[in-house]
Amino acid sequence: SSSGSGRAPGSKRVAFLHPDLGIGGAERLVVDAAVGLQDLGHTVHMFTSHCDPSHSFKETQDGTLKVHVNGDFLPQTVFGKFKVIFSILRMIWAAIALVIAHKKGAAFDFIIVDQVSIPVPLLKILCPTTKVLFYCHFPDKLLATRGSKIKEIYRAVFDYSEEITTCAAHKVLVNSKFTQGVFVSSFSRSKVIPDVLYPAINFSGLIQPSTLPSETIPVLNGKRYFLSLNRYERKKNINLAIEAFASVLQESSDPSSLHLVVAGGYDPLLNENVDHLKELKDLAQKLKLDDQKITFLVSIADDLKLTLLYNCIAVIYTPSNEHFGIVPIE
């Protein structure tokens, strides 16, 4: 762009649109991508419908990234139902805020939409000179549960609209060749073959902290521990880590020296997070794993996460058929 625009030659203005900037692999990916683009001299704005200061990555809170929260007044569910509908409504509201900013002078060159594809056609229409990319972590239609006939009909509408809106983007990106293959077979009508863009890793953020885990978690003093690091969701199969650890204790010649730390993203507003943490604690109690054997941590800070990673015996990673796992890379 010209020097008169106040922008460095070659720099672009990029907007990210993400439904909920919480703590998870998808959020880690978009935050690192945004920081990476910003470090290269591009101007980056992030639009979302929710960003809880106590449940989000520090880059979204310490001023590193410009984050705009719009639509948080809308409910996430009604009596635990209609999550998909309200997720779409909240995402559309955030997308409208993005469009308004674009029209008022932000003049984005690229918009990167993440997870929820419904706003893609709207953005293309209202921002006709802007390229719209969609980053697909995994087709949502394959993650949803069906159950009843009514739920199947309810989901059929959204499954069809997901394919149409996803493939409407100027470019579709996926996180792995595995997801690419699943995408092609799941969205066969569109004939779109997405490109693979592996998640970025912020290596500078993986420097070993000087602190020890026992300074924060006294029960770990003198213990060797395994680490399970996942969001508190049933599909992450954390039960397996707890059951395996209980089995190891039975076979160990020195069980008193061993410990299991279960840590991960936890949002008290999400029923599944709340219910599943209780289920895991009940399982631990059933297996006679007390506080001296197992520790549950929620939404831990990056420094503590790194300390735990650097000092554990091993990371136990339990999700089945995971499309891409940030944790093994870290």
Side-chain angles (χ1 to χ4, degrees):
S1 60
S2 64
S3 58
S5 66
R7 294 161 59 180
S11 70
K12 302 294 182 183
R13 300 183 68 88
V14 184
F16 283 82
L17 180 61
H18 184 84
D20 182 348
L21 284 175
I23 296 177
E27 290 72 37
R28 185 69 268 170
L29 185 155
V30 294
V31 167
D32 285 341
V35 172
L37 286 171
Q38 196 164 264
D39 288 345
L40 290 172
H42 305 296
T43 300
V44 178
H45 291 256
M46 301 195 81
F47 292 83
T48 183
S49 65
H50 184 70
C51 187
D52 183 347
S54 65
H55 182 72
S56 55
F57 292 113
K58 63 180 180 180
E59 294 92 340
T60 65
Q61 299 298 329
D62 63 7
T64 300
L65 294 171
K66 299 181 183 71
V67 178
H68 310 269
V69 181
N70 300 92
D72 209 6
F73 67 92
L74 293 167
Q76 294 184 349
T77 64
V78 173
F79 301 115
K81 305 293 185 182
F82 309 112
K83 181 179 178 180
V84 175
I85 292 176
F86 284 106
S87 175
I88 290 172
L89 290 175
R90 290 162 65 91
M91 192 70 160
I92 289 175
W93 195 279
I96 291 172
L98 187 159
V99 171
I100 292 173
H102 175 75
K103 299 290 187 182
K104 285 186 173 181
F108 298 116
D109 299 297
F110 295 95
I111 298 172
I112 301 173
V113 184
D114 185 39
Q115 289 193 326
V116 179
S117 60
I118 294 296
V120 168
L122 176 69
L123 293 169
K124 287 182 67 179
I125 292 170
L126 298 180
C127 307
T129 61
T130 303
K131 296 297 184 183
V132 180
L133 289 78
F134 183 74
Y135 196 96
C136 176
H137 300 272
F138 204 71
D140 186 65
K141 63 188 288 187
L142 301 181
L143 300 174
T145 56
R146 269 33 181 202
S148 66
K149 192 68 177 177
I150 293 176
K151 186 73 178 288
E152 286 185 14
I153 297 172
Y154 167 79
R155 278 299 320 185
V157 175
F158 296 112
D159 292 348
Y160 178 75
S161 62
E162 180 187 13
E163 177 170 358
I164 298 301
T165 55
T166 294
C167 298
H170 292 106
K171 173 71 70 174
V172 180
L173 302 173
V174 292
N175 55 20
S176 64
K177 291 182 179 179
F178 171 69
T179 302
Q180 182 188 56
V182 172
F183 182 101
V184 171
S185 62
S186 300
F187 297 146
S188 55
R189 296 189 196 92
S190 65
K191 310 299 183 186
V192 170
I193 299 178
D195 289 334
V196 176
L197 179 63
Y198 292 112
I201 299 296
N202 179 17
F203 289 103
S204 63
L206 297 178
I207 299 172
Q208 183 172 6
S210 58
T211 57
L212 293 173
S214 57
E215 295 177 33
T216 305
I217 311 166
V219 73
L220 294 181
N221 187 30
K223 297 282 186 72
R224 297 182 299 146
Y225 66 91
F226 295 95
L227 175 63
S228 170
L229 198 58
N230 281 294
R231 289 194 305 278
Y232 283 98
E233 296 176 354
R234 294 182 182 93
K235 68 182 180 182
K236 298 299 184 180
N237 201 19
I238 303 170
N239 303 54
L240 179 59
I242 297 173
E243 292 165 352
F245 180 67
S247 178
V248 165
L249 290 181
Q250 292 177 355
E251 300 177 10
S252 173
S253 59
D254 187 16
S256 63
S257 68
L258 299 176
H259 199 86
L260 173 63
V261 176
V262 178
Y266 177 89
D267 188 342
L269 298 178
L270 295 179
N271 290 336
E272 184 182 10
N273 286 183
V274 176
D275 294 343
H276 192 45
L277 177 55
K278 183 180 183 304
E279 291 167 0
L280 294 173
K281 288 183 175 180
D282 289 344
L283 175 62
Q285 187 175 23
K286 178 182 176 182
L287 295 172
K288 297 181 171 54
L289 300 176
D290 59 21
D291 293 344
Q292 295 301 310
K293 293 297 178 191
I294 186 168
T295 298
F296 292 95
L297 303 172
V298 299
S299 301
I300 59 176
D302 284 345
D303 287 347
L304 178 55
K305 180 184 74 172
L306 288 175
T307 299
L308 290 169
L309 282 169
Y310 267 103
N311 292 280
C312 65
I313 300 172
V315 173
I316 305 175
Y317 197 66
T318 50
S320 299
N321 297 319
E322 185 82 313
H323 43 279
F324 193 95
I326 289 287
V327 171
I329 301 300
E330 292 180 330

